[in-house]
Amino acid sequence: MKRKALFVIAGLFSVLLLINFGYASPDAAQAAEEAVNTGIETGSWLSILPPLVAIGIALIFRQVLFALFLGIWCGAFLAGDLSFGGVFTSFFATLDGYIVPATADESHMSIIIFTILIGGMVGIITDNGGTRGVIARVTKFVRTKVHGQLMTALMGFVVFFDDYANTMVVGNTMRPLTDRLRISRAKLAYLVDATAAPVATIALVSTWIGAMVGFIADAESKMPNFNESAYAVFIGSLPYNFYAFFTILFVILIAWSGRDFATMLTSRINLYKAKHDPELDTYNLWKDKIEDDEETKKVSHWTNAAIPIVTLIFGTIGGLFITGSGDTIQSIIETADSYKALLWGSLISITIAIIMTLYRNLLDIEDMLEGMMEGMHTMFDGLLILVLAWALSAITVELGTADYLMNVFGETLNPFWLPAIVFVLSALTAFATGSSWGTMGILMPLVVPLAWEIGNNTGLPFEMTHEIIYASVSSVLAGSVWGDHCSPISDTTILSSIATQCDHVEHVNTQLPYAMIVGTISVISLISIMVLGVPAWIIYPTGVLIIVAIIFQFGKIPDPEEYTPEGKEAASTSLD
């Protein structure tokens, strides 16, 4: 592995030198000197190199931090001094030019602090026994893997107002229960990730919609004679958000059926094998059979965990109302400061957890602080990945990665094909940049006015132009979520790994097949409704039937007994 890593660094170093020689050819000395001083041209094909380097190395070597750093280093070189010396100066620029500014950003620091506070709160309610009290309460109704998966999905629908809060609350709350039910961490991470952003994108009131309406309003400012409100455009776009609705349906069906396939099935089988092979027990889920280990840990009343968690939810909602303004709920959400609301909610929740723990004499101050710090510490590895992902996202903006992707697809745009193409383009951009909100912020001001102009220039009826705009808006939103689900450098994907304490690369690899299936169905649905004119009342039932057929055709329910030493011996005997 070390030899491969050194080979990759040497290869990347060689590529950077080749780029340097390409810009510094003797035939264009003056142009080369200008390029050396200013970096590559914004929106050139080289702008996709940094995210490709990061994504490729992350998937091949399963080392996300290493991959992200090399991607940032590559981008820093392309954006800076394209010379031999620039290879070395860009190495230091990765830190002081991109990583440090990523942490200095106010919104990014808000997410970091929010995540740490959530970790501290979870650490406290875990050590004071409240989390186990919740599990004890819930397990009266949840006794099977199917029930545990459905309960996890249901909680994802309850925390609908923000994907970050959804991920952190559901992941941390359900993890002890799913561990006890021997549901793989990869499956838990998928259930959490797949019900976070999709639910937030179709909720009529959420932080996502507030941002979305803001992006639409910004785009409408570039559209003369278009008078429809941004929120009305969002409402009109909902029927075209096939990815969100089909993902939610897929989650429910895959949980209810108890089936898995592809890499998720492999992860599940490895969990069963780990019972008799400690080397495969990556998450210590079979450590002394967990039940024996749990007997030594504190169990207290379920309210010791439920009250801080409910406080987090309603504290965040209250923060949205306090920081927002307007006469309607949606107008309040649109103008609210979601980052400040999340900080307030997390601060209140950890304060309540501390007060309840000390007041009820569940832990002394020293043990309580130790539990809080341990909870915070579990977030640090994921936060490092998150910071590097933000730095890489900044690199892609500076290099114009989205502009390049738009130019590549721009020549093929057609009024009725526009939504499907935008959906794929949005997914590619989110996949490459790791930011769904960044993708929306970049593409929405480009796509919506483009749809308006294409409709006007081609003489389409006013109503049809509006339908294209609705579908295009939905495509930007849905495509951003699809790319986010597939990208190893996505912030929400990383947070799902943090909250569920699942290996990040394993989470990406196991979620990818499910996301690709739903994404492909969504592309076909957009083509069907916009190009072929198939009505939505036919598309949705057809999509449901396709998803059901795929799950029951390819999904399997592995028998844990087959992976015991006795089961393996019986299987080998039958083969003989």
Side-chain angles (χ1 to χ4, degrees):
M1 181 64 72
K2 292 180 179 179
R3 185 174 299 176
K4 289 182 179 179
L6 291 174
F7 178 78
V8 169
I9 294 176
L12 178 61
F13 187 82
S14 301
V15 170
L16 297 179
L17 288 180
L18 288 174
I19 294 173
N20 168 51
F21 292 147
Y23 272 96
S25 61
D27 299 331
Q30 184 176 358
E33 182 179 355
E34 182 179 350
V36 164
N37 291 331
T38 61
I40 65 170
E41 181 183 354
T42 301
S44 78
W45 69 269
L46 290 172
S47 63
I48 65 172
L49 190 58
L52 288 180
V53 168
I55 292 169
I57 294 177
L59 295 177
I60 294 172
F61 293 96
R62 301 172 65 90
Q63 296 293 330
V64 180
L65 287 172
F66 175 64
L68 285 170
F69 185 84
L70 289 183
I72 299 168
W73 183 11
C74 175
F77 172 77
L78 295 175
D81 186 1
L82 296 177
S83 66
F84 181 80
V87 175
F88 301 98
T89 57
S90 61
F91 177 78
F92 297 102
T94 58
L95 184 61
D96 59 43
Y98 296 97
I99 296 176
V100 171
T103 60
D105 181 89
E106 182 178 350
S107 60
H108 291 172
M109 183 54 66
S110 297
I111 293 174
I112 292 173
I113 296 175
F114 165 74
T115 303
I116 292 175
L117 290 176
I118 290 291
M121 183 269 288
V122 171
I124 293 173
I125 64 175
T126 298
D127 280 14
N128 72 15
T131 300
R132 293 177 188 83
V134 171
I135 301 307
R137 185 82 173 183
V138 172
T139 49
K140 295 180 180 179
F141 311 99
V142 179
R143 299 186 180 277
T144 67
K145 290 181 174 64
V146 170
H147 292 163
Q149 293 178 147
L150 287 173
M151 180 62 71
T152 302
L154 176 62
M155 289 191 65
F157 302 145
V158 171
V159 190
F160 63 87
F161 58 88
D162 183 79
D163 60 325
Y164 287 148
N166 186 313
T167 299
M168 301 306 292
V169 170
V170 177
N172 283 293
T173 302
M174 296 304 297
R175 188 178 63 249
L177 174 61
T178 55
D179 284 354
R180 178 173 292 184
L181 294 172
R182 304 299 190 264
I183 297 171
S184 69
R185 290 283 178 85
K187 187 60 173 291
L188 173 62
Y190 169 71
L191 294 174
V192 169
D193 202 359
T195 54
V199 170
T201 57
I202 61 175
L204 298 182
V205 178
S206 74
T207 54
W208 268 73
I209 305 311
M212 186 70 176
V213 169
F215 293 141
I216 296 173
D218 179 60
E220 287 184 355
S221 65
K222 306 173 184 177
M223 300 160 58
N225 302 322
F226 187 86
N227 300 319
E228 190 170 359
S229 71
Y231 187 61
V233 171
F234 161 71
I235 296 297
S237 73
L238 284 178
Y240 300 95
N241 197 337
F242 297 107
Y243 184 79
F245 288 111
F246 284 148
T247 295
I248 292 171
L249 174 68
F250 192 97
V251 168
I252 295 174
L253 289 177
I254 203 76
W256 172 76
S257 68
R259 298 170 180 266
D260 282 306
F261 57 89
T263 48
M264 191 70 77
L265 178 62
T266 302
S267 176
R268 183 172 175 178
I269 291 174
N270 287 338
L271 173 61
Y272 295 154
K273 291 180 178 178
K275 182 176 182 180
H276 306 281
D277 187 353
E279 292 185 0
L280 294 175
D281 195 9
T282 309
Y283 306 105
N284 293 323
L285 298 189
W286 297 101
K287 173 188 170 186
D288 297 328
K289 308 301 179 289
I290 286 184
E291 288 86 354
D292 299 334
D293 186 57
E294 288 288 310
E295 289 179 359
T296 63
K297 296 184 177 180
K298 180 184 290 291
V299 179
S300 64
H301 198 271
W302 61 273
T303 56
N304 293 316
I307 291 177
I309 292 173
V310 171
T311 300
L312 170 65
I313 296 172
F314 284 97
T316 303
I317 294 176
L320 292 174
F321 277 85
I322 292 173
T323 59
S325 61
D327 298 327
T328 63
I329 293 178
Q330 184 57 39
S331 63
I332 293 173
I333 295 296
E334 288 178 22
T335 57
D337 187 335
S338 60
Y339 296 111
K340 187 176 291 186
L342 289 170
L343 285 175
W344 289 355
S346 59
L347 179 60
I348 295 173
S349 69
I350 194 173
T351 303
I352 293 296
I354 292 172
I355 292 173
M356 292 183 64
T357 299
L358 297 179
Y359 179 76
R360 297 185 176 184
N361 295 319
L362 300 174
L363 297 170
D364 57 34
I365 294 180
E366 183 176 347
D367 290 339
M368 184 273 297
L369 290 175
E370 182 179 352
M372 182 180 70
M373 295 307 296
E374 286 179 357
M376 291 179 174
H377 185 266
T378 61
M379 305 294 175
F380 289 162
D381 290 347
L383 286 175
L384 287 175
I385 298 175
L386 193 58
V387 169
L388 293 183
W390 283 329
L392 182 62
S393 179
I395 284 280
T396 61
V397 172
E398 184 174 345
L399 296 179
T401 304
D403 293 338
Y404 170 74
L405 294 175
M406 198 58 160
N407 289 334
V408 169
F409 285 89
E411 297 178 358
T412 63
L413 293 179
N414 174 281
F416 298 102
W417 282 90
L418 177 62
I421 294 174
V422 168
F423 179 72
V424 175
L425 176 59
S426 182
L428 289 173
T429 305
F431 180 82
T433 62
S435 173
S436 52
W437 280 34
T439 299
M440 289 188 292
I442 293 170
L443 294 185
M444 195 67 74
L446 301 175
V447 169
V448 179
L450 178 63
W452 176 246
E453 289 299 324
I454 289 178
N456 290 334
N457 294 339
T458 54
L460 290 176
F462 185 78
E463 294 77 12
M464 181 56 66
T465 300
H466 269 64
E467 292 300 314
I468 293 175
I469 291 175
Y470 295 153
S472 299
V473 166
S474 184
S475 295
V476 173
L477 178 58
S480 298
V481 177
W482 182 26
D484 223 33
H485 280 166
C486 298
S487 177
I489 59 175
S490 157
D491 50 2
T492 50
T493 304
I494 293 167
L495 282 177
S496 298
S497 300
I498 296 174
T500 59
Q501 294 185 17
C502 175
D503 177 76
H504 183 56
V505 175
E506 182 183 9
H507 171 40
V508 174
N509 287 340
T510 52
Q511 178 168 264
L512 185 61
Y514 291 177
M516 289 301 297
I517 288 172
V518 178
T520 302
I521 294 173
S522 301
V523 172
I524 296 173
S525 298
L526 278 169
I527 294 174
S528 299
I529 196 170
M530 296 304 300
V531 179
L532 303 179
V534 180
W537 63 269
I538 293 179
I539 292 176
Y540 274 105
T542 303
V544 171
L545 292 176
I546 292 174
I547 291 174
V548 171
I550 290 174
I551 291 176
F552 282 88
Q553 175 67 31
F554 300 102
K556 296 180 180 179
I557 306 176
D559 183 1
E561 296 302 321
E562 293 182 8
Y563 304 99
T564 63
E566 296 78 8
K568 292 179 180 178
E569 183 178 349
S572 62
T573 303
S574 63
L575 289 175
D576 295 337

